Amino acid sequence: MIRSVNITKDAYYQMLRYVLKYANPDKAYRQWREVIGWLIGKVNGDSITVLQAIPMTSGSSIFVQIADYTILPKIAEEAEKHGAIIVGWFHSHPSFGFFLSGIDIRTQRYQQSLFENAIALVCDPTKVSETEPGIHGYQVNMEQTLGNDYRELTVHVSIDEPYPKVLKTLLLEAGITRSFAEVIAYEELAGLFALEGIAPPISPSLKGASLLPAEREAVPEIIASYIIRDSLEYNKEGYLQVKISNVGEG
Ligand SMILES: [Zn+2]
């Protein structure tokens, strides 16, 4: 039984960079998307070390799922060359926190049926603080077949810098100077105005980020379907990435 997860600097940066690409303070809140990917690493007793995080796909603002498992053998083969294995998967919950949803539990149950040590990591970059890396780890209890029975793992990130500094560095790297705090403060303000039935003032520093909570509720749940055209490729940062093509939504 796995109890703790050690995330290397490489894997931490890879996950955050990918998550931020689809949910960041420069994107309108309603356009934030969840992302999902695979974790490469090693098992050592009751601990897992995550060496690499491989981006796979993005979904809707509130939903993402693994649409294709055929790429797994290729990723496993690539990992093996480095003496590693697939140790689980990660996905993002931009702004809605750390937990496993019903479908996350089903996905994780399937992962653990393939590999008993498989872990699930959930990333919410808006929650990053001095004491919060923004990534939590989970395993489900395989004996339990009903209910939301999963447990949280201890997560340790092997970096020297404070987490908010890493977040800021990655945002700046993408040309983003605004902070999540600004966007969230504005969303809360917009919510108060909505209660009063009046339109909120548009903050000049938040172009494109204005959105009433009611609108967010109305964002339809879209399940994107994907096919994998090519197997794997290295992106310009030198990270292994699954090449995907979106073939439509529905
Ligand atoms: Zn989820």
Side-chain angles (χ1 to χ4, degrees), residues 34 91 93 101 104:
E34 286 194 33
H91 75 293
H93 280 178
S101 69
D104 294 342

Short mmCIF file of all heavy atoms in Angstrom, two decimals, residues 34 91 93 101 104, ligand 1:
data_model
loop_
_atom_site.label_atom_id
_atom_site.label_comp_id
_atom_site.label_asym_id
_atom_site.label_seq_id
_atom_site.Cartn_x
_atom_site.Cartn_y
_atom_site.Cartn_z
N GLU A 34 -9.68 21.66 -17.68
CA GLU A 34 -8.94 20.64 -16.95
C GLU A 34 -7.97 19.95 -17.91
O GLU A 34 -8.25 19.85 -19.10
CB GLU A 34 -9.90 19.58 -16.41
CG GLU A 34 -10.71 20.02 -15.23
CD GLU A 34 -11.38 18.84 -14.54
OE1 GLU A 34 -10.79 17.74 -14.53
OE2 GLU A 34 -12.48 19.02 -14.01
N HIS A 91 -4.41 14.94 -12.94
CA HIS A 91 -5.32 15.83 -13.66
C HIS A 91 -5.54 17.08 -12.82
O HIS A 91 -5.17 17.12 -11.65
CB HIS A 91 -6.62 15.14 -14.06
CG HIS A 91 -7.60 14.90 -12.97
ND1 HIS A 91 -7.37 14.03 -11.94
CD2 HIS A 91 -8.83 15.42 -12.76
CE1 HIS A 91 -8.43 14.02 -11.14
NE2 HIS A 91 -9.34 14.86 -11.61
N HIS A 93 -7.83 20.37 -11.23
CA HIS A 93 -9.12 20.87 -10.74
C HIS A 93 -8.96 22.37 -10.58
O HIS A 93 -8.92 22.86 -9.46
CB HIS A 93 -9.44 20.25 -9.37
CG HIS A 93 -10.00 18.87 -9.41
ND1 HIS A 93 -10.29 18.17 -8.26
CD2 HIS A 93 -10.32 18.06 -10.44
CE1 HIS A 93 -10.78 16.98 -8.59
NE2 HIS A 93 -10.79 16.88 -9.91
N SER A 101 -13.49 13.02 -7.74
CA SER A 101 -14.92 12.99 -8.08
C SER A 101 -15.32 11.54 -8.33
O SER A 101 -14.48 10.64 -8.32
CB SER A 101 -15.16 13.80 -9.35
OG SER A 101 -14.59 13.12 -10.46
N ASP A 104 -13.43 10.27 -11.19
CA ASP A 104 -12.02 10.14 -10.81
C ASP A 104 -11.80 8.84 -10.04
O ASP A 104 -10.81 8.13 -10.24
CB ASP A 104 -11.58 11.31 -9.91
CG ASP A 104 -11.59 12.65 -10.64
OD1 ASP A 104 -11.60 12.65 -11.88
OD2 ASP A 104 -11.61 13.68 -9.95
ZN ZN B 1 -11.27 15.31 -11.06
#
